[in-house]
Amino acid sequence: MTVSRTAQDFIAAPRRDGIAAWRKIADALEADITGGTLMAGSQLPAETLLAERFAVNRHTVRRALAELTVKGLVRATQGRGTFVEARRLPYPIGPQTRFTQNVAREGREPGAALLAAAHVRADERIASLLALRPGDPVLRLDTLRSADGVPLTLGLSFVPLPRFAGLEAALRLHGAITPAFAACGVADYRRLETRVGARIALPGEAERLDLAPGRPVMVVDSINVDLDAVPIQATRALFAADRTEIVVQS
């Protein structure tokens, strides 16, 4: 690849302005992203090609990419490369909140994975949310949901037992919670309560969500009830804040 005169002037010229080369590279790539030269979801050139483009070593390029990752502009995927993050996905929360519908409405492909399932005893908080007694049996579900293959939310849900003893199998079969509930006799349900907070992702959470260390997540606690207003699900979902925008609907 031939280094353009612009790149030489921008990076390799005498640095009397005191700005580090990695910072100039980060700024140049950010301008490409915000200006549309590098489109959302597109893959950045390999480090070797970027190093050639800007007439620097790979370490300098790597430092620039790390800065863009921290800012939430790009996402490095092991074994695949570095990709431009898509625009934030508007995620409506209202009386009927459905992940699959929310993602599909934005023209993206929803995905879901059941990471783990276990029968446990409800602690005081979960018992209170589900109108149970502490120690009552509940089914715990750990899920990871995505849009166009990019992790979006890490969820931890609890549903009452024995009422939903077949929910795990139904969820594995259908891949979504709404048809899984329908298979267990709940034709429809609604959102009773939603609470939204924020914090920094813990290391394990960041790894699951493919986030850079130190990136924020939105913490969304919710309760769903059936049409008789009986609580059927208590969930804590961690949304990648760089990728989602919560929209509250009445």
Side-chain angles (χ1 to χ4, degrees):
M1 178 185 295
T2 302
V3 181
S4 69
R5 182 61 188 168
T6 300
Q8 289 176 333
D9 291 341
F10 191 60
I11 301 297
R15 301 184 179 99
R16 288 176 294 182
D17 54 13
I19 301 176
W22 69 264
R23 169 58 67 185
K24 291 186 177 184
I25 296 171
D27 289 345
L29 293 175
E30 182 172 352
D32 285 346
I33 292 170
T34 57
T37 302
L38 289 171
M39 302 295 291
S42 64
Q43 185 173 3
L44 270 65
E47 289 181 1
T48 53
L49 295 179
L50 289 173
E52 185 178 346
R53 170 187 169 186
F54 293 113
V56 295
N57 59 44
R58 290 181 63 182
H59 177 77
T60 302
V61 169
R62 198 171 294 126
R63 178 67 181 86
L65 294 178
E67 175 68 12
L68 295 178
T69 301
V70 168
K71 295 177 72 172
L73 294 173
V74 303
R75 173 176 52 88
T77 302
Q78 187 174 5
R80 293 181 57 204
T82 301
F83 296 82
V84 178
E85 284 279 26
R87 63 177 176 83
R88 283 186 173 88
L89 184 142
Y91 191 87
I93 290 180
Q96 283 197 326
T97 301
R98 306 290 187 264
F99 179 86
T100 298
Q101 293 178 5
N102 283 349
V103 173
R105 188 181 295 116
E106 293 300 315
R108 304 193 195 180
E109 181 67 28
L114 179 59
L115 303 178
H119 289 203
V120 298
R121 298 289 177 178
D123 60 21
E124 289 189 7
R125 187 182 77 88
I126 296 302
S128 176
L129 295 176
L130 292 176
L132 303 173
R133 296 171 299 180
D136 279 354
V138 292
L139 174 64
R140 168 179 167 154
L141 301 169
D142 295 71
T143 58
L144 180 66
R145 294 186 286 188
S146 61
D148 290 339
V150 178
L152 202 67
T153 175
L154 188 63
L156 175 61
S157 293
F158 296 89
V159 299
L161 291 172
R163 181 179 181 182
F164 294 107
L167 189 67
E168 177 187 349
L171 186 56
R172 293 188 185 278
L173 176 64
H174 297 287
I177 193 66
T178 298
F181 272 137
C184 294
V186 178
D188 200 7
Y189 60 96
R190 63 181 179 85
R191 181 66 58 90
L192 176 67
E193 179 180 283
T194 302
R195 296 175 182 265
V196 181
R199 61 172 172 79
I200 299 300
L202 299 176
E205 297 164 349
E207 182 178 2
R208 287 285 194 186
L209 289 170
D210 201 7
L211 295 173
R215 299 309 298 163
V217 289
M218 291 180 288
V219 183
V220 180
D221 290 319
S222 61
I223 304 171
N224 287 324
V225 297
D226 63 18
L227 297 184
D228 294 320
V230 177
I232 61 171
Q233 182 186 30
T235 298
R236 170 163 290 177
L238 305 180
F239 283 78
D242 294 329
R243 301 175 190 147
T244 48
E245 179 180 71
I246 298 298
V247 180
V248 179
Q249 298 180 333
S250 58

